[in-house]
Amino acid sequence: MLRLLFACLLVSGCALERDYIEVRHVAAPGIQAIQGASNVGVTVEARDGRTIRDRVSNKINGYGMEMAPIVSTNDVVAETQRAVVEELTFRGFRIGGNDARLDVEVLRFYSQFRTGFFAGSANADLSVNVRLTDQLGRLILAKTFTAEGIVPSLQLATGANARLALEDGLRKLIRMIGDDVELAQALLRTAPSERPVS
């Protein structure tokens, strides 16, 4: 009983104080360039489609009830856009061209703490819609990508732990986009040499 009460106190520490974090993407190693990608110039735009925009997580108390918000000090939509641009650059695509346009709509960017008997966890849920159009504005591909980030065995529901889960989820999400064969093939089809002659 004392052990459980101690765990509750750890989880609920400073639960009433708002916390601020900076969420940043760090590219995973081992990214391979795609043959022919340098023939495609692509513009990347992002917009916010989230239902929860004023925070990226909430602290919880020992009973699992939401308490003070955890707020990102940087624009997570802009950070997602930057990460997609970086990923496509590593893949060999030219950023800023007009062969293709990739619109990224951030649907969810949130981490939720979960309690356990001896420890809790931070579980981040990230989701984006992507729409690829060609130079004429014709839709080439529309797809949704979803990733989860997790930090297990936690005793504190703090901003630092929420940040770790969010960054884990963002890293997985961006790598998922970069590894997607269907998206890569669709981008390659927008290269000038691949356009049909009318």
Side-chain angles (χ1 to χ4, degrees):
M1 184 65 179
L2 288 175
R3 180 179 294 180
L4 178 59
L5 288 173
F6 181 61
C8 288
L9 287 172
L10 285 175
V11 172
S12 60
C14 301
L16 297 176
E17 295 180 10
R18 182 183 295 245
D19 209 346
Y20 296 90
I21 61 174
E22 185 178 53
V23 181
R24 293 296 181 188
H25 172 259
V26 178
I31 299 175
Q32 300 294 321
I34 299 171
Q35 185 175 2
S38 60
N39 296 324
V40 178
V42 57
T43 297
V44 179
E45 299 291 342
R47 70 184 190 91
D48 196 347
R50 296 174 296 162
T51 56
I52 302 174
R53 299 186 181 188
D54 60 339
R55 60 194 185 280
V56 291
S57 186
N58 275 89
K59 294 181 179 181
I60 61 172
N61 62 19
Y63 301 100
M65 298 171 59
E66 286 192 353
M67 302 297 284
I70 297 172
V71 179
S72 178
T73 58
N74 62 315
D75 185 343
V76 295
V77 175
E79 184 66 14
T80 302
Q81 178 182 0
R82 186 193 69 79
V84 171
V85 166
E86 184 179 57
E87 183 75 14
L88 293 179
T89 301
F90 286 148
R91 300 288 176 173
F93 294 100
R94 291 184 290 107
I95 302 300
N98 61 0
D99 297 318
R101 175 185 169 112
L102 188 68
D103 289 292
V104 180
E105 181 185 16
V106 179
L107 302 176
R108 187 163 173 83
F109 202 108
Y110 190 81
S111 180
Q112 186 171 5
F113 289 103
R114 297 175 183 169
T115 59
F117 190 79
F118 293 111
S121 63
N123 299 75
D125 179 20
L126 284 76
S127 180
V128 299
N129 278 339
V130 299
R131 285 174 52 87
L132 179 67
T133 52
D134 65 11
Q135 190 177 41
L136 299 177
R138 296 174 299 195
L139 180 64
I140 304 299
L141 179 71
K143 199 165 187 177
T144 301
F145 293 90
T146 300
E148 295 181 355
I150 185 168
V151 181
S153 304
L154 296 180
Q155 297 296 334
L156 293 174
T158 63
N161 287 324
R163 177 183 60 80
L164 291 174
L166 289 165
E167 290 181 344
D168 181 47
L170 182 58
R171 183 169 53 251
K172 291 174 181 175
L173 178 74
I174 299 303
R175 193 59 182 269
M176 188 182 300
I177 292 172
D179 284 343
D180 191 76
V181 175
E182 188 178 13
L183 176 58
Q185 291 176 343
L187 279 164
L188 292 174
R189 288 200 301 272
T190 67
S193 60
E194 295 295 323
R195 294 189 188 122
V197 178
S198 56

